[in-house]
Amino acid sequence: MAALTSLTLLVASTLVPGVSGTGDAYADVRPIEIHNAPVATPSLAIRCGRVLTMNAGDTILDPGMLLVENGDITYVGAPIDVPAGFESIELDEAWVTPGFIDLHSHIHAGGWGDTNDMVMPTNHEFSTRPTIVAGNPNVRRACAAGVTTIFGIPGSGTSISGFGVLLKTKTESTYEGAVLADPGGMKVAQTHNPERRAGDIGATRAGLGWLLEEVNDRAVQARDTGSFDPALANLTRIHAGELPVLIHCAGNEGVASTVRMWKGRYDTRCAVSHGSFDGWYTADYVASMGVPVNHGPRTFNFNLGMKEGRIVGTSAAYVEAGVPLFSLNTDAPVIPQEELFLQGSVSVHHGADAYTMLKALTIHPARTFGIEDRVGSLEVGKDADLVIWTGDPLDPRTRAEVVVIDGEVQYQRTHDGQWF
Amino acid sequence: MKTMKKQLIGGALGLSLALSFAAPSLALLADDHEEDSYLAIVGGDIFAGTGEVLRGATLLSKNGKIEEIGYELILPDGCETVDAHGMRVYPGLVALSATTRLTQGTFAAGVEIHDFVPHEEHSEICGDCGKSFEEIVPPALDPGEFSTEHLATDAFRTDFDDSFDPFSGYMVMALGNGITTVQQSSAAVKLKRGDISGVSLSEKTLTSQSWSGSNPAGKADLREKFRLATEYLADYRRWEEAVKSDKELKEPSKKGIDGRILDILEGRTMARFSANERADLLGIARLAQQFKFRPVIQGCVEGWTVAEELGRAGAFAIVTPRTRRDRSETTTHEGGSSIENAAILTRAGVQVAVVPANTSIDMGGISGRDLLSLPLEAGFAIRGGMDERAALESITVVPARLLGIDHRVGTLEIGKDCDALITDGDLLHYQTFVQYTVVEGKLVYDKQEEVFYSHIRPRPEAAVDPGEEVSGEVESVEVEEIVEEESDEE
Amino acid sequence: MKMRNLLVGLACVLGTQAPLLAAPASPTPDLFALRVGRAETVSQGTIEHAVILIENGKIITIGQDLEIERGIRVIDRPDWVVTPGFVNCYSRAGMSSSGGSGTQPGVQASTELYPRQPIYGELLEAGVTTLGLYPPGNQIPGQAVVVSTAGDSRESMLVREGAYLKILMESNSKAKKTLRDGFEEADKHLEKVTEAREKHEKAKEKYDDELKKWKKYDDEEKAKKKEPVDPGDFVEPDPSDEAAAFLDLREGELSAMFSIRKAGDYLHLIDALGEEQISWSMRVPLRNDIDLYEVAEKLGADERQVVVEPRLTLMPWTARERNIPAELDRAGARVVFIPNGDDLGNQEKWRQHVGHLVKRGMDPQAALAAMTHEPAVLLGVDETVGSLGAGKEATMLFFDGDPFQASTNLKAVMHAGDFVEEASAQ
């Protein structure tokens, strides 16, 4: 056992020189964190009528300009002269936003396939990596609708269905070219799906809770003792705070038990995903615990539980309760990936604020998963993932004219035709 | 009942002198009848659905019909008013293929009540049990297609007249989202709240016909039916002429002629096809041109690839602009879905009606895809290049035309049914709410009075005292064409 | 208004036929007086310190502090509150068959009546003194009958047949057609009668002619020919059961009770009735999410009798409580209560359930009427039961306080002048 551990350490440190501290011992032995090797991309100068930077200062430039070099943003601000050697894109009426991010998506495999491996109730060492079909039609359409980053995750058929991959929606790419982080984080299903009806453990919420705590306690022990167990390697990284965990849950008791377990008991970098139905009843508690909410595909609650008879806009309810990082998802293909923006539109219709919903599509999901140094806002040094729209991106009448990922134009309507 | 007083006439004449420069329309100096009921929608920007926009105008309804639209209208005494200042007024929306729960209510679970059933608490419908409302409360039975016998007997009376629930909560939700007329099977039904009289409107019916590449024999059969029916009609017309001179001539036999095809050819009904593939669409277009009828094509996903043909055939298309369908790998033609479908079809002269992907009402939390999302769906048509006016028509007058009821609904014009919605903004904008809905001159929905949406951005108190005499905003009397700016490609 | 005992002398000479008594009862004298703390008469309001003079099971007079002639036995209960016996107009107590679907308007629920079942005695002790028993089935299953729970034989129980024709009305073409068909059947019968009458008249004319001729014949001719036969007086053909019931409806000899289950059904019922002028009431099970309040005003304008349970409901899709019986009453409709269930337990708690609605704003007099007078009117037996007044049957309930208070006990039940439970009488 000791020999195996030291061997692993050796391999891990060889492959992942960037990982340090306690994380070393639990590092995945497989290749991770493949940063895209910068390739020669043209430098772009983009000048538009309105630039929504989504930065911490909520800077909106009317008009604004961006410079893109080697895949990164090198200038954001008032229009300046286009430097020599830059390709210029100039659209006076258009709006620019960061590419949208969906933390709950299943389109990486091209459809509904390969989402649930249902034999064991917890499958924490699985990964969606082998299922990825980069540049599949769903991904391409998503890109053409301004969605540039997705967290491609397994389903919710088991309590832990494995690890997902953060992918850019490049229209023609390979896994290696599109990956932003692998593993990007873990997927857990707390309630409302993993309930097992096969006669084994996990038929009740009590059984499901025990399944999760039993395996989490072992991972915590592994973390605290520094021992290495290949069956717990990635899960231990969750408990070391190295990776986030996205938790499928719904209903007030589901959301509350999620926050209680993953934040209260284990203090992980957890995010509530879905939080549907009357989950919003617990919004105050979620907010007080500082847990981000990644909401969708349901965005309203016709309040049959409380019988108030109201159409409650649940996005607004979470935001108003003070949830620190509120983001939106589609659970694609439950809602088609290209309609991520519409989750913002309908949330606004049902009472939420439009700018906050734009945050919920950009910087909030980025910060929820700790990838805000790369994506989620238009700031110097970040990946040049941006969308040029014909107007308000939340309006279905608006379309994406140009989508840039890592500084490369992935989609240009006038060139490619209108994909969405 | 409210009555119009004689004194009004004098007042109106006096006012008209003072306002001669504004070309005021004098309302209603006629019938001082006890039963007359009036409702005025005052001061809104009226988007008539005909391309005209009247800013700050007033629409007056008399006994459910639009009596007058204009400025400086003199309102009869006792005229109910809806203050629409700062708001917009649109024709009521016409929703095709709507779920029957809209018109048959939520309380009609099929329980027998002949024996006394001690009240069991029906299982609480929980927000967190993962079930949608639809799963918990079984929908009322869909009566399905019914024969046209009903229509023949009693002035368009249909089964929907007898099963209409004028208090259906779903209907209130539909009214709250601007829908005032729905298609149920082949009937058009007016969403009259609290009233069951005259809810069926259809004069024409839709007759489903099948045309599919996967059934070549069926295609041949249908073509043969059309051929025989056309021949019969020609024979019949010849006979009609000839019989004038020779009374002994025998009328041509109807044997072997499909009566429904005759109905289609003679315009009593419209043929509805459900078709999406290019080849099928072309086949239908050619069939229609050959036998001279106007087809209604539901789906029409690849219509954009054969739009000109469909336009020449005078087709109606019922489309969902957001539909996704990948191009078939087995064909070299263009194909698959296109967000530009609705726009391309419209430009080719096809009458395009828009329906959302889901024509039921989703109470489970998924928003923006169900029947209540008609304006959003029309927004997707605009995204694909349709102009704003055609998009508005695609959810109002085009579906009305398709159902043969455009003489009553679909636009705001004098003489038509007063079915109107009053919104707090551009109907096609995602934030906009319907504030009031009027059906046949009766206020049937007020957002602040219903539980559903009253808590979301509550409407401020009415700025104008409804009792106060209303005068038009004289400076804006011009009629504008809706020209929405579109930011185009570079 | 103080009344004098003017009638007491007269009362003594009235007929002395004793009513048929049933169940364990404690006989009272032929003539006696009751002195109670308060009488809720329903028809004349509340009478404090009421004196009720009863002879041979009937109330002779009732009034405040009436003087009682010497020698008349007085039962003095100054703490008691007296009300009329409760009338449950919509029950299947003691009946077990289940109905199908069909139109049998001629059927009487009495065909299912089996006396001497414990439930009737139990109901009597619980204060339910009169029952309307209805036939089971959808569409038009037949006619309800009125029984007294005090009887111990078919004859002593059965008060009235043909109390109401039960008709299911729903929002669909079939139910509406069933109703229209019933009236059409009646029309057809009338046509048939007209035809038969015409035919008879012709036959009569022919007979008269032939008889004239016959009379002129001589004997020889008479022997050869047949003597004409007198067609006799005209006899109306019998109507079918269905036609008969609908004719009775039109003529006001029978009333209808329409069962509906949502507000919309009411409008369809009005539509289906069209121009027909009949007497009818409406039964609406108060489901939790019933929308009946939508038509409360219309029902009020018609002063319609509406048969409901004493239940609070919720506005559909909300937690907003509605007291529909109170709303109906305020709108002017006539509420008729039935217990929340047909089991003994619900009938025993009936007044408490009604009391709950009273606490939530329903007028207590209307609430009491809805358990007594209104159902008696509905059943067509309000001449004898359902209120306390001269000439009414002395069938009443004695409470030790406000009957709508949960803490109040039913102390005694009197049926036609006799106490049902001996212990409480003394």
Side-chain angles (χ1 to χ4, degrees):
Chain A
M1 195 66 201
L4 179 64
T5 308
S6 56
L7 175 64
T8 312
L9 276 169
L10 180 65
V11 175
S13 54
T14 313
L15 288 174
V16 202
V19 176
S20 60
T22 52
D24 281 15
Y26 320 109
D28 195 320
V29 292
R30 292 160 297 196
I32 54 158
E33 301 278 332
I34 299 169
H35 286 270
N36 308 326
V39 288
T41 51
S43 301
L44 296 173
I46 297 164
R47 186 194 151 123
C48 285
R50 168 169 288 186
V51 176
L52 291 153
T53 66
M54 308 315 290
N55 65 12
D58 294 328
T59 306
I60 298 173
L61 302 157
D62 289 318
M65 189 154 181
L66 293 121
L67 295 180
V68 174
E69 292 169 87
N70 297 322
D72 288 341
I73 297 167
T74 53
Y75 173 81
V76 187
I80 51 171
D81 290 340
V82 175
F86 278 65
E87 252 178 52
S88 172
I89 300 175
E90 204 173 316
L91 286 164
D92 285 345
E93 299 295 320
W95 297 24
V96 186
T97 69
F100 290 173
I101 300 167
D102 191 341
L103 293 180
H104 198 127
S105 174
H106 304 287
I107 62 158
H108 52 273
W112 264 125
D114 285 338
T115 44
N116 283 305
D117 210 310
M118 303 278 283
V119 177
M120 292 187 294
T122 58
N123 306 287
H124 33 85
E125 296 309 294
F126 287 11
S127 167
T128 51
R129 189 181 314 118
T131 71
I132 288 168
V133 181
N136 71 54
N138 287 331
V139 165
R140 289 158 62 88
R141 207 152 28 215
C143 178
V147 180
T148 57
T149 301
I150 60 169
F151 183 39
I153 50 175
S156 52
T158 58
S159 292
I160 300 179
S161 51
F163 280 77
V165 179
L166 282 161
L167 282 173
K168 301 274 185 87
T169 59
K170 292 187 178 171
T171 51
E172 283 175 24
S173 183
T174 58
Y175 161 80
E176 284 74 13
V179 68
L180 170 64
D182 181 7
M186 188 170 77
K187 166 77 184 295
V188 166
Q190 193 84 5
T191 61
H192 290 79
N193 248 0
E195 290 79 357
R196 289 170 79 80
R197 308 283 183 231
D200 59 346
I201 196 169
T204 65
R205 300 275 160 86
L208 292 174
W210 179 85
L211 281 169
L212 288 171
E213 289 183 359
E214 194 268 345
V215 72
N216 278 327
D217 285 348
R218 281 197 283 131
V220 169
Q221 196 178 27
R223 177 195 68 191
D224 293 347
T225 59
S227 63
F228 177 76
D229 179 348
L232 293 170
N234 276 320
L235 184 60
T236 309
R237 295 182 67 194
I238 296 290
H239 289 284
E242 290 170 32
L243 289 170
V245 51
L246 189 77
I247 301 155
H248 162 117
C249 59
N252 64 68
E253 87 294 358
V255 175
S257 70
T258 294
V259 172
R260 196 176 303 121
M261 180 185 292
W262 294 92
K263 189 70 184 177
R265 180 173 171 135
Y266 296 112
D267 197 18
T268 59
R269 286 168 51 199
C270 59
V272 163
S273 195
H274 300 313
S276 314
F277 308 121
D278 59 357
W280 63 276
Y281 293 177
T282 61
D284 288 339
Y285 172 60
V286 179
S288 72
M289 295 290 280
V291 174
V293 172
N294 175 245
H295 196 43
R298 290 175 175 81
T299 55
F300 76 87
N301 181 211
F302 183 54
N303 207 343
L304 293 162
M306 293 272 269
K307 291 214 164 208
E308 284 298 324
R310 293 175 167 194
I311 306 281
V312 174
T314 43
S315 298
Y318 280 115
V319 170
E320 279 161 24
V323 165
L325 291 170
F326 176 84
S327 58
L328 286 163
N329 71 45
T330 56
D331 199 358
V334 171
I335 284 178
Q337 189 64 74
E338 61 270 26
E339 292 178 31
L340 177 60
F341 79 92
L342 193 67
Q343 295 288 77
S345 327
V346 294
S347 295
V348 172
H349 182 70
H350 286 141
D353 161 70
Y355 186 74
T356 310
M357 290 305 104
L358 277 177
K359 283 182 167 177
L361 298 166
T362 54
I363 188 64
H364 280 177
R367 286 174 57 200
T368 297
F369 259 41
I371 49 176
E372 71 273 22
D373 57 329
R374 301 274 309 270
V375 295
S377 62
L378 301 177
E379 292 177 83
V380 172
K382 286 200 180 186
D383 295 4
D385 295 358
L386 55 92
V387 189
I388 303 175
W389 309 87
T390 55
D392 174 3
L394 297 183
D395 193 326
R397 295 174 288 187
T398 298
R399 58 181 177 260
E401 284 291 312
V402 179
V403 181
V404 173
I405 297 177
D406 288 338
E408 294 171 49
V409 174
Q410 298 292 322
Y411 167 79
Q412 188 164 9
R413 190 187 62 84
T414 50
H415 176 265
D416 300 311
Q418 190 174 349
W419 292 358
F420 192 67
Chain B
M1 268 282 92
K2 307 185 166 153
T3 48
M4 192 174 130
K5 301 255 165 68
K6 295 273 186 203
Q7 65 191 39
L8 172 70
I9 296 171
L13 290 172
L15 260 171
S16 70
L17 293 172
L19 298 169
S20 53
F21 62 92
S25 314
L26 279 183
L28 292 167
L29 300 177
D31 305 354
D32 184 0
H33 192 267
E34 268 209 321
E35 298 297 316
D36 289 342
S37 69
Y38 295 97
L39 178 129
I41 300 166
V42 178
D45 293 349
I46 299 178
F47 288 67
T50 55
E52 284 178 331
V53 183
L54 283 80
R55 308 265 176 210
T58 292
L59 183 153
L60 179 69
S61 157
K62 178 186 177 186
N63 300 332
K65 300 278 182 193
I66 298 173
E67 178 80 6
E68 197 79 44
I69 305 174
Y71 301 92
E72 305 299 332
L73 302 191
I74 310 302
L75 305 182
D77 265 7
C79 174
E80 199 185 330
T81 58
V82 179
D83 178 16
H85 282 94
M87 294 196 249
R88 295 187 179 200
V89 185
Y90 292 93
L93 307 183
V94 181
L96 296 173
S97 318
T99 169
T100 49
R101 303 184 74 195
L102 268 180
T103 55
Q104 296 188 5
T106 48
F107 313 101
V111 284
E112 294 190 352
I113 56 171
H114 65 264
D115 277 320
F116 197 97
V117 186
H119 297 284
E120 322 137 22
E121 287 296 331
H122 33 188
S123 56
E124 287 295 300
I125 292 167
C126 57
D128 61 331
C129 59
K131 284 185 177 168
S132 68
F133 189 72
E134 276 77 4
E135 286 172 293
I136 295 163
V137 182
L141 289 178
D142 190 325
E145 297 279 339
F146 50 85
S147 76
T148 50
E149 281 164 40
H150 300 267
L151 296 167
T153 51
D154 191 3
F156 324 134
R157 191 179 180 92
T158 69
D159 277 352
F160 292 98
D161 285 272
D162 283 337
S163 54
F164 187 70
D165 184 349
F167 306 113
S168 158
Y170 284 100
M171 185 177 78
V172 179
M173 292 204 76
L175 290 169
N177 285 274
I179 299 168
T180 55
T181 303
V182 296
Q183 179 207 356
Q184 308 265 260
S185 290
S186 58
V189 177
K190 185 67 76 71
L191 300 185
K192 292 177 87 170
R193 194 173 183 190
D195 189 357
I196 60 167
S197 62
V199 294
S200 291
L201 304 176
S202 300
E203 292 179 47
K204 279 186 186 172
T205 57
L206 295 174
T207 306
S208 289
Q209 297 292 345
S210 163
W211 183 274
S212 163
S214 60
N215 180 11
K219 291 200 289 189
D221 274 358
L222 186 63
R223 187 181 293 283
E224 182 63 6
K225 283 181 187 170
F226 271 105
R227 193 184 62 75
L228 287 171
T230 307
E231 266 178 21
Y232 165 79
L233 285 175
D235 289 349
Y236 185 85
R237 281 181 200 123
R238 269 195 297 276
W239 170 79
E240 261 186 326
E241 277 305 306
V243 81
K244 287 175 187 163
S245 46
D246 181 359
K247 298 258 187 287
E248 298 298 302
L249 274 178
K250 245 178 86 187
E251 186 181 328
S253 165
K254 255 191 187 176
K255 204 168 170 233
I257 308 296
D258 187 325
R260 298 202 309 166
I261 304 293
L262 279 183
D263 287 344
I264 293 166
L265 291 175
E266 299 204 285
R268 286 187 294 273
T269 180
M270 287 186 105
R272 175 177 55 193
F273 298 87
S274 191
N276 290 310
E277 282 169 30
R278 183 179 187 276
D280 292 343
L281 299 174
L282 273 180
I284 293 163
R286 285 167 192 166
L287 186 77
Q289 282 172 280
Q290 184 180 349
F291 295 106
K292 300 185 178 56
F293 68 93
R294 296 186 72 178
V296 174
I297 304 171
Q298 183 125 24
C300 207
V301 170
E302 293 185 347
W304 60 281
T305 65
V306 291
E308 297 298 331
E309 285 272 2
L310 293 171
R312 275 195 288 279
F316 283 86
I318 304 172
V319 305
T320 302
R322 266 187 276 179
T323 304
R324 274 155 297 270
R325 182 190 173 103
D326 290 330
R327 193 176 76 89
S328 166
E329 305 279 336
T330 61
T331 173
T332 53
H333 294 291
E334 279 189 306
S337 58
S338 167
I339 188 77
E340 297 176 87
N341 193 27
I344 292 170
L345 287 168
T346 304
R347 282 199 288 272
V350 175
Q351 294 274 312
V352 175
V354 160
V355 294
N358 171 4
T359 53
S360 69
I361 293 183
D362 191 317
M363 305 299 270
I366 303 270
S367 184
R369 326 187 57 74
D370 66 352
L371 193 71
L372 306 181
S373 316
L374 271 175
L376 281 182
E377 200 64 55
F380 279 98
I382 295 169
R383 184 189 192 95
M386 200 186 225
D387 65 48
E388 297 261 343
R389 175 179 164 181
L392 180 60
E393 289 180 355
S394 75
I395 53 176
T396 53
V397 74
V398 174
R401 229 171 257 155
L402 188 153
L403 296 167
I405 53 171
D406 53 317
H407 63 296
R408 288 198 48 190
V409 304
T411 57
L412 297 175
E413 291 177 272
I414 291 168
K416 284 200 183 185
D417 291 7
C418 183
D419 297 349
L421 34 140
I422 296 131
T423 64
D424 52 18
D426 178 358
L427 176 66
L428 301 180
H429 190 275
Y430 56 90
Q431 188 174 295
T432 298
F433 262 109
V434 171
Q435 296 288 341
Y436 304 97
T437 308
V438 170
V439 172
E440 296 189 6
K442 201 172 140 194
L443 182 64
V444 289
Y445 174 87
D446 175 347
K447 173 170 170 275
Q448 291 315 114
E449 295 299 315
E450 309 288 342
V451 288
F452 304 123
Y453 303 114
S454 55
H455 59 292
I456 304 174
R457 290 189 290 278
R459 185 173 70 236
E461 285 301 306
V464 174
D465 175 6
E468 169 183 322
E469 178 114 35
V470 182
S471 62
E473 284 153 39
V474 173
E475 71 278 13
S476 56
V477 183
E478 76 269 34
V479 171
E480 310 173 10
E481 191 75 16
I482 312 179
V483 188
E484 294 288 331
E485 288 165 48
E486 273 199 75
S487 56
D488 234 322
E489 62 260 43
E490 331 115 84
Chain C
M1 191 175 74
K2 186 161 173 166
M3 283 177 66
R4 300 258 164 218
N5 54 340
L6 296 174
L7 287 172
V8 172
L10 267 177
C12 295
V13 298
L14 286 175
T16 55
Q17 221 174 5
L20 248 167
L21 293 183
S26 142
T28 47
D30 285 349
L31 176 67
F32 67 99
L34 272 169
R35 191 147 54 198
V36 295
R38 186 197 306 160
E40 296 290 358
T41 67
V42 179
S43 50
Q44 310 162 45
T46 304
I47 300 173
E48 301 289 343
H49 311 297
V51 172
I52 310 167
L53 189 69
I54 294 162
E55 183 174 41
N56 296 327
K58 281 194 169 177
I59 298 171
I60 302 299
T61 185
I62 179 167
Q64 193 172 47
D65 291 327
L66 299 184
E67 282 172 33
I68 300 164
E69 203 170 276
R70 186 186 303 267
I72 292 178
R73 184 170 161 203
V74 178
I75 299 171
D76 213 352
R77 291 290 181 273
D79 300 330
W80 281 8
V81 175
V82 61
T83 72
F86 293 157
V87 181
N88 175 359
C89 69
Y90 190 83
S91 173
R92 288 195 44 78
M95 296 178 159
S96 57
S97 72
S98 60
S101 192
T103 303
Q104 306 100 23
V107 168
Q108 296 284 345
S110 48
T111 55
E112 283 185 75
L113 180 61
Y114 295 99
R116 292 178 201 279
Q117 295 192 72
I119 182 71
Y120 297 124
E122 288 161 354
L123 287 176
L124 180 63
E125 285 174 29
V128 180
T129 52
T130 305
L131 283 178
L133 296 172
Y134 65 87
N138 283 329
Q139 297 196 20
I140 307 181
Q143 301 180 25
V145 297
V146 186
V147 301
S148 160
T149 50
D152 62 354
S153 67
R154 196 179 159 79
E155 291 69 33
S156 61
M157 281 189 82
L158 204 53
V159 176
R160 183 175 178 219
E161 292 197 315
Y164 54 82
L165 179 63
K166 184 167 157 40
I167 303 176
L168 176 66
M169 179 49 67
E170 297 170 291
S171 299
N172 62 51
S173 307
K174 189 182 164 198
K176 293 171 83 169
K177 186 172 179 302
T178 301
L179 180 63
R180 290 192 191 113
D181 284 352
F183 287 113
E184 239 168 67
E185 198 65 31
D187 288 338
K188 273 185 207 154
H189 172 72
L190 293 179
E191 275 167 35
K192 216 160 84 186
V193 170
T194 313
E195 274 169 31
R197 181 169 280 122
E198 280 168 9
K199 203 171 146 191
H200 177 265
E201 274 163 16
K202 273 180 195 158
K204 191 85 180 163
E205 275 170 34
K206 194 178 164 195
Y207 167 73
D208 289 345
D209 287 353
E210 283 176 0
L211 193 64
K212 263 184 227 163
K213 281 183 201 160
W214 174 264
K215 279 178 180 160
K216 288 174 191 162
Y217 293 158
D218 57 23
D219 284 353
E220 198 179 330
E221 277 171 317
K222 278 184 179 168
K224 274 191 221 161
K225 304 216 168 178
K226 259 207 222 147
E227 187 179 347
V229 183
D230 186 348
D233 290 335
F234 175 66
V235 182
E236 266 195 29
D238 283 336
S240 65
D241 276 358
E242 188 175 358
F246 278 85
L247 286 167
D248 285 350
L249 279 180
R250 274 195 185 146
E251 282 156 21
E253 281 169 28
L254 181 63
S255 67
M257 181 196 279
F258 292 103
S259 286
I260 69 163
R261 58 175 183 237
K262 54 176 182 172
D265 293 345
Y266 167 76
L267 298 188
H268 286 284
L269 167 59
I270 300 289
D271 181 45
L273 276 173
E275 302 290 305
E276 297 291 345
Q277 296 288 333
I278 63 166
S279 146
W280 57 277
S281 59
M282 202 165 78
R283 159 79 185 119
V284 196
L286 289 194
R287 289 165 48 123
N288 219 10
D289 58 350
I290 187 81
D291 57 351
L292 193 64
Y293 53 86
E294 297 275 13
V295 292
E297 263 179 48
K298 287 191 172 79
L299 291 166
D302 288 355
E303 296 180 24
R304 185 67 54 201
Q305 281 200 315
V306 188
V307 182
V308 292
E309 301 85 351
R311 272 175 65 89
L312 293 171
T313 56
L314 298 177
M315 236 176 109
W317 295 345
T318 73
R320 299 185 186 187
E321 229 172 56
R322 297 205 77 130
N323 189 341
I324 286 178
E327 289 181 53
L328 289 171
D329 175 50
R330 278 197 291 272
R334 290 150 67 194
V335 177
V336 181
F337 277 132
I338 60 171
N340 273 341
D342 220 11
D343 54 309
L344 182 63
N346 268 305
Q347 308 224 33
E348 282 173 338
K349 289 194 187 111
W350 189 14
R351 69 183 166 90
Q352 291 174 27
H353 293 149
V354 173
H356 193 51
L357 297 200
V358 170
K359 266 190 224 131
R360 303 298 187 95
M362 186 172 183
D363 173 51
Q365 285 296 330
L368 186 61
M371 301 175 76
T372 54
H373 179 63
E374 289 297 342
V377 170
L378 192 148
L379 294 172
V381 293
D382 53 312
E383 290 285 308
T384 47
V385 300
S387 59
L388 303 181
K392 296 280 184 327
E393 188 179 278
T395 293
M396 48 190 116
L397 313 178
F398 301 92
F399 297 95
D400 58 4
D402 177 352
F404 290 141
Q405 289 292 333
S407 57
T408 298
N409 296 304
L410 175 63
K411 301 300 285 186
V413 176
M414 175 175 280
H415 171 258
D418 287 324
F419 282 104
V420 171
E421 284 174 291
E422 193 168 347
S424 53
Q426 302 307 316

